[in-house]
Amino acid sequence: MTPLVLVLGTADWDAPIATNQHHVTAALARQWPVVFTEGAGTRALRPSDARRVLRRLRATPSTTGRAVPDGVEVVTPRLVPHHAPSTRALNRRLLQRQVRRWTAHPGPRLLWTYTPFTYGLEAHADRTVYHLVDLLHENPGVHRGRLLAAERALRADLALATSPAVEEHLRAQGFTATRCLPNVCDAGPFTAARERAVPRGSTVVFAGTLAPHKVDLPLLLDLAVALRGTGRLRLVGPVTDPAHETWRRLVGAGAEVVGTLPAADLATELATATVGVVPYRVSPLTVGISPLKTYEYLAAGLPVVSTPLPAIEPVPGAVFVRERHEFVAQVLDLLRDGDPGRPERVARHARGHDWATRGQELRDAARTLLTGV
């Protein structure tokens, strides 16, 4: 009997930026049918969440056009958007009813969860994988105690981490079977864009969510000021706090705000730039982050300059990890270099760090777990 996989996500399928859970769902669906359940949230609701909650209550379909892979069913759960003792019993009944296709499946059932708030679904699973891509308890607005308690109560046959810090956290939480698999990228579009790219000139690009609790906006401001008259700073991705004072100064300093781009357009944007940056704050949250943008930059032929995140290893000539006071100078050095052979050399470091390779690894891991079930 064919296994059925249930992926419990933390994001909507139509989230502006495709994340680990979107890629893993597609990878697993190449072997087995998958039910992807959109996230019910891990933090307290904010006013900006109102539209998302309303869409769910109305069962409004996705409008971003992200294709759903063959073999994947997307479920938008209607739950009380609050993880607390007072809502636990109701949410358990609601969620189990809405994934009845999986709980009633007569063959093997694999639960692949990105959230510890599983509401007992692991009791219906033959095997469970907890895939932690971030130190969720460090995110703003999260009820730290409840989330950590939910992790300690979760019984998983395998716990996957995307960075050494996350794996260390999993072990501290009591998970015994752990494996560290850093984030990778969908390399194909970036490689193709690099091969046909016409460089834009001295252009520095950041691609990702522009959230002040993760991104060092003052550092980007310093970079924008330093680039005046010599280069451009392009910011690609959603802006979470456009009213932030530093954000307004950053735009005033000449940073070009591109917004969220479809995958093909993002690949072109990166391939026509000169340097990719990872200007993250170093904090209890970001020490666990493994930025997949690192390999997107490399696949597009861009050298990378990053603040000192533990998950990013320096690579001579390709990945430069710099302290905050050295960051801008390193970017400017790369812009002055003008080495025409650098894109091809840099791109070699992305080989093997792609979702085709990682997808096979994950299917092999799932197949091993399901052996004998």
Side-chain angles (χ1 to χ4, degrees):
M1 182 70 70
T2 301
L4 181 60
V5 182
L6 175 63
V7 175
L8 285 185
T10 58
D12 289 350
W13 184 258
D14 64 352
I17 297 177
T19 62
N20 186 298
Q21 57 202 272
H22 298 92
H23 293 296
V24 170
T25 296
L28 294 174
R30 294 187 63 180
Q31 182 76 41
W32 306 286
V34 178
V35 177
F36 177 86
T37 303
E38 295 182 309
T42 55
R43 55 173 169 75
L45 286 177
R46 300 178 299 186
S48 59
D49 296 319
R51 180 177 298 178
R52 180 170 178 252
V53 172
L54 186 60
R55 178 180 74 81
R56 290 195 170 189
L57 291 175
R58 292 177 174 174
T60 305
S62 165
T63 57
T64 64
R66 174 169 293 125
V68 177
D70 291 341
V72 174
E73 174 191 350
V74 176
V75 173
T76 302
R78 296 183 180 184
L79 305 177
V80 179
H82 183 56
H83 302 291
S86 59
T87 61
R88 189 173 300 139
L90 175 59
N91 277 343
R92 179 189 294 264
R93 290 195 299 272
L94 290 171
L95 182 57
Q96 294 193 9
R97 182 183 306 161
Q98 291 170 78
V99 297
R100 191 181 297 113
R101 177 193 168 196
W102 179 78
T103 58
H105 182 65
R109 293 183 292 273
L110 174 64
L111 174 63
W112 197 291
T113 182
Y114 287 87
T115 171
F117 297 114
T118 61
Y119 291 103
L121 285 175
E122 62 269 29
H124 297 271
D126 293 286
R127 296 290 185 268
T128 296
V129 175
Y130 181 38
H131 201 157
L132 188 59
V133 300
D134 208 346
L135 294 173
L136 295 177
H137 62 284
E138 297 288 359
N139 275 298
V142 166
H143 193 294
R144 182 187 181 96
R146 288 175 189 160
L147 194 144
L148 291 174
E151 283 186 340
R152 289 191 295 270
L154 179 60
R155 295 293 174 260
D157 300 281
L158 176 64
L160 297 177
T162 52
S163 72
V166 171
E167 184 174 30
E168 182 180 350
H169 166 76
L170 287 169
R171 289 172 176 166
Q173 285 288 83
F175 295 94
T176 54
T178 65
R179 186 175 175 187
C180 184
L181 295 174
N183 277 327
V184 291
C185 77
D186 185 12
F190 299 95
T191 301
R194 172 174 52 81
E195 292 172 350
R196 63 174 185 268
V198 177
R200 188 184 279 120
S202 295
T203 301
V204 181
V205 64
F206 169 78
T209 301
L210 287 144
H213 70 280
K214 286 187 179 180
V215 177
D216 190 336
L217 294 184
L219 180 57
L220 281 179
L221 176 59
D222 291 345
L223 180 57
V225 171
L227 287 172
R228 281 177 173 165
T230 62
R232 312 161 73 185
L233 174 60
R234 306 265 290 175
L235 305 176
V236 185
V239 179
T240 65
D241 188 4
H244 194 282
E245 174 60 29
T246 306
W247 175 256
R248 293 198 297 268
R249 293 174 60 199
L250 180 58
V251 174
E256 300 174 12
V257 183
V258 180
T260 304
L261 295 176
D265 293 341
L266 173 62
T268 300
E269 179 73 35
L270 297 192
T272 55
T274 315
V275 178
V277 294
V278 186
Y280 278 1
R281 297 177 178 275
V282 179
S283 70
L285 170 63
T286 61
V287 295
I289 287 178
S290 171
L292 63 82
K293 63 178 63 65
T294 304
Y295 289 111
E296 292 178 341
Y297 293 154
L298 293 174
L302 302 184
V304 181
V305 181
S306 174
T307 48
L309 300 180
I312 297 184
E313 295 285 343
V315 177
V319 180
F320 302 83
V321 178
R322 295 291 182 261
E323 296 293 340
R324 195 177 187 281
H325 66 279
E326 305 170 310
F327 188 95
V328 173
Q330 180 63 72
V331 173
L332 296 180
D333 283 349
L334 288 169
L335 291 179
R336 286 190 290 264
D337 186 298
D339 180 356
R342 186 187 293 276
E344 181 59 33
R345 291 198 307 274
V346 162
R348 295 174 191 156
H349 296 286
R351 293 173 187 167
H353 300 280
D354 56 73
W355 278 109
T357 304
R358 179 55 48 78
Q360 187 60 57
E361 290 178 304
L362 295 176
R363 288 190 296 273
D364 289 346
R367 195 176 296 110
T368 298
L369 285 175
L370 292 170
T371 298
V373 172

